Amino acid sequence: MSDSRTRINLAIAWLLFWSLMTATAIQEYLRSGGSQLWQPIVWETTSFLVVTLLLTLQRRYTRRYDALVGSPVRWFARQLVWLPVYWVAFTPLAFGMRHLLYCMAGDVYTHGAWPEVLLYENVKMTVFFFIFATITFGILSYHAMLAEKLRLERVNASLREVQLLRLTQQLQPHFLFNALNTISSLMHTDVHRADAMLVQLADVLRATLDVGEQHQVPLSTELRLLRGYAALMAERFADRVSIAWHVDESLLDCPVPVMSLQPLLENIFKHTVERRRQPTAIGIAAHREDGLLVLRVEDNAGQLATACDDGAGVGGIGVRNLRERLAAGYGAGATFNLVQLAPAGVRAEMRLPCVS
């Protein structure tokens, strides 16, 4: 249900509630022998107007605390600050309006002694305040539950897509063919290097299975997969690529979206390293900046227009999937950007929250 639809339903319910209160007041007034029906209408209308004003102000200034609905004690504590406002404001405003309207009608509004009136009205306001706060809490909790359900559905959809993407990227014949072809070539010249590549290839495949159905993995697990893939590709392009790692070891426990870095590195090899004969320098970094985990994968030769033209790398399914997963998992708390470096090079950068 949309927010506008919810507000309309609440407004209708609020009007129906006060209509019932007015009808009840009229019934009680007639039962007690009253004959001027405008009087109970004035009582309830003035109460309705003042309470609506107070509730509107309370909602306006406490809306910022909606995120605390998952911590009921903290949420109710923020609302409780407004209870003295009801005590101080309701009786003077409502009774002042009644005195004015009665005077305009040529009558006098009479009531009990002020201490008695204040005590009675404040008790009523206290009961009403907690009823309203409880109803508001229930509505916010319901919307939070729906939002969380939608977020999980989006995450699951993105995870299914990335699982398919992972299979097509890392188990694709093209990747395996190149890796095995490199190993086959090394078998005749350097058995130890060929054996090391086989072990590395097995580790890459094993790492993809280890993450299973997880939405997030520690940065250490993501880097394990990335280092394995980088080692295989660096061996294949041994004379055309160099990779520098700059990783803050204190961030290895930070959770990151599974399979978020490997497509970025693959994109560099696909769109830059494979297309040029000159050496390409690649930098991979993980550090903390402004309280966020910053992950960077960049090269010194790529062009953004070329890097974003097709495929499952940064510019195609991979980046779209990554952006959707970040939005679903972190909302506005995470960002992903592609930057053209000068005179050449492309930087892919993710910023994620990390509490480790």
Side-chain angles (χ1 to χ4, degrees), residues 24 32 39 58 68 111 115 117 133 137 146 170 242 245 277 353:
T24 302
S32 62
Q39 292 185 354
Q58 178 188 356
L68 296 178
H111 52 77
V117 170
F137 179 79
L146 291 182
Q170 288 165 350
S242 62
W245 300 81
R277 295 300 175 185

Side-chain angles (χ1 to χ4, degrees), residues 3 24 44 70 76 81 101 157 215 223 235 238 241 276 282 297:
D3 289 342
T24 302
E44 297 305 318
F76 276 101
V81 174
L101 292 173
H215 296 234
L223 288 178
E235 186 66 45
V241 68
R276 64 196 307 266
I282 298 174
V297 180

Side-chain angles (χ1 to χ4, degrees), residues 219 256 260-261 285-286 293-297 348-352:
L219 177 60
V256 299
S260 56
L261 292 176
L293 169 63
V294 180
L295 302 174
R296 289 190 181 123
V297 180
E349 178 180 281
M350 281 187 290
R351 291 176 177 262
L352 315 171

Side-chain angles (χ1 to χ4, degrees), residues 14-26 44:
W14 183 243
L15 292 174
L16 290 175
F17 169 75
W18 279 103
S19 298
L20 178 62
M21 293 289 290
T22 302
T24 302
I26 292 174
E44 297 305 318

